[in-house]
Amino acid sequence: MNAQTAVPVLNRGEGPAAAAFAPDRWHECGDASAGTALMLHSLGLDGRAFAALWRALPKGWRLISYDQLGHGAAAGATDFTFADCVADALRALDLAPGPVHVLGHSMGGAVAACAAASAPGKVASLTLVATPTTGMPVFVERGQAALDGGMDAVVAPTLARWFGPDGSAGNADAIAYARSALHAMAPAGFAAAWRALASFGGYADLAAALPPTLCVAGALDLSTPPPALQAICDALRAGQGLPGAGEAARVETIAGHGHMLPLTAPEALARLLAAHWSRCGGNEAPR
């Protein structure tokens, strides 16, 4: 694979992106000769989370991410809903030219799926990476822990879920970035993000409107293990009237890695994405 040799994660301070997003929230690189991809990060990270993945992808893609509400340059947002997060994603889609391949990681996957279902003519494919099947009451509890004890109370247990109790081997830079991104959040924003994710209703009502979807699991994921991604795939197939195997939804598992696949397994994830995007067409929307 010919990877992009330099991936400047650009903060757009002018043009249409600045009108919809504060300048430091918007990140992009590359041209669009192969197509355009929009990536939504995990709860607790920010738009920089895909830098290693962008370096591993083939040349020719315009790659876009942004800091979701409560995160990064949008950490000042501390009172928002899941619907607000989806509206943000739809604004980002409006700024991306042509059919867009959309990827969401963890909470970003839930937001990406809802946005894709709301803009079916704009989205060429969907990729859900280590994404939960639905909202859960425990999510609210995780946010409440930050309100009760501050971010210091939640960073260590969050990193343990993401990287495993002894996941530091070979992941020191990824863990340092994740720790910094978590500490940059306000407790109220962290709690709001978890409440938002807790309200996510799952995939059954979205399936009929979604484009071809790749679900990617980490074999060692403690948060969204492979059976969770298989359950999403099964729900999508059932909702589209395709109970058996088919191209509408498929699952891949990356061995030896946990929840933070864009940070710890960018090369393996890039290979899966390149194949998925090629199958779905780089510059044509699904008919």
Side-chain angles (χ1 to χ4, degrees), residues 45-133:
L45 299 182
D46 57 33
R48 300 172 297 160
F50 300 109
L53 177 59
W54 290 4
R55 286 192 293 271
L57 282 166
K59 296 178 180 178
W61 288 93
R62 183 186 181 197
L63 303 170
I64 300 169
S65 66
Y66 63 92
D67 298 344
Q68 293 203 70
L69 295 172
H71 300 75
T78 57
D79 183 13
F80 55 88
T81 67
F82 189 78
D84 294 328
C85 297
V86 175
D88 238 13
L90 289 170
R91 282 191 287 271
L93 277 173
D94 285 342
L95 296 169
V100 179
H101 296 275
V102 178
L103 176 150
H105 175 214
S106 195
M107 175 183 175
V111 175
C114 290
S118 299
K122 187 67 184 279
V123 180
S125 76
L126 177 65
T127 301
L128 304 175
V129 179
T131 299
T133 57

Side-chain angles (χ1 to χ4, degrees), residues 31-272:
D31 60 44
S33 57
T36 299
L38 172 67
M39 302 187 181
L40 279 63
H41 64 78
S42 165
L43 195 159
L45 299 182
D46 57 33
R48 300 172 297 160
F50 300 109
L53 177 59
W54 290 4
R55 286 192 293 271
L57 282 166
K59 296 178 180 178
W61 288 93
R62 183 186 181 197
L63 303 170
I64 300 169
S65 66
Y66 63 92
D67 298 344
Q68 293 203 70
L69 295 172
H71 300 75
T78 57
D79 183 13
F80 55 88
T81 67
F82 189 78
D84 294 328
C85 297
V86 175
D88 238 13
L90 289 170
R91 282 191 287 271
L93 277 173
D94 285 342
L95 296 169
V100 179
H101 296 275
V102 178
L103 176 150
H105 175 214
S106 195
M107 175 183 175
V111 175
C114 290
S118 299
K122 187 67 184 279
V123 180
S125 76
L126 177 65
T127 301
L128 304 175
V129 179
T131 299
T133 57
T134 189
M136 304 176 191
V138 69
F139 295 164
V140 177
E141 296 172 11
R142 290 175 184 172
Q144 187 62 44
L147 294 176
D148 293 341
M151 293 305 295
D152 285 343
V154 299
V155 168
T158 299
L159 293 176
R161 284 196 310 273
W162 286 353
F163 297 99
D166 55 355
S168 59
N171 295 323
D173 289 345
I175 292 173
Y177 156 68
R179 181 181 290 109
S180 174
L182 283 165
H183 277 297
M185 297 185 73
F190 186 78
W194 278 116
R195 286 195 303 271
L197 183 55
S199 72
F200 172 55
Y203 295 88
D205 293 338
L206 306 177
L210 290 178
T213 301
L214 172 65
C215 301
V216 183
L220 305 180
D221 193 343
L222 302 176
S223 296
T224 53
L229 277 297
Q230 183 64 57
I232 293 172
C233 184
D234 292 345
L236 295 181
R237 289 173 178 167
Q240 296 171 351
L242 298 167
E247 287 300 309
R250 52 200 303 271
V251 181
E252 297 282 355
T253 299
I254 296 179
H257 290 272
H259 192 62
M260 287 287 114
L261 294 172
L263 297 179
T264 66
E267 292 85 4
L269 183 55
R271 287 192 292 271
L272 294 176

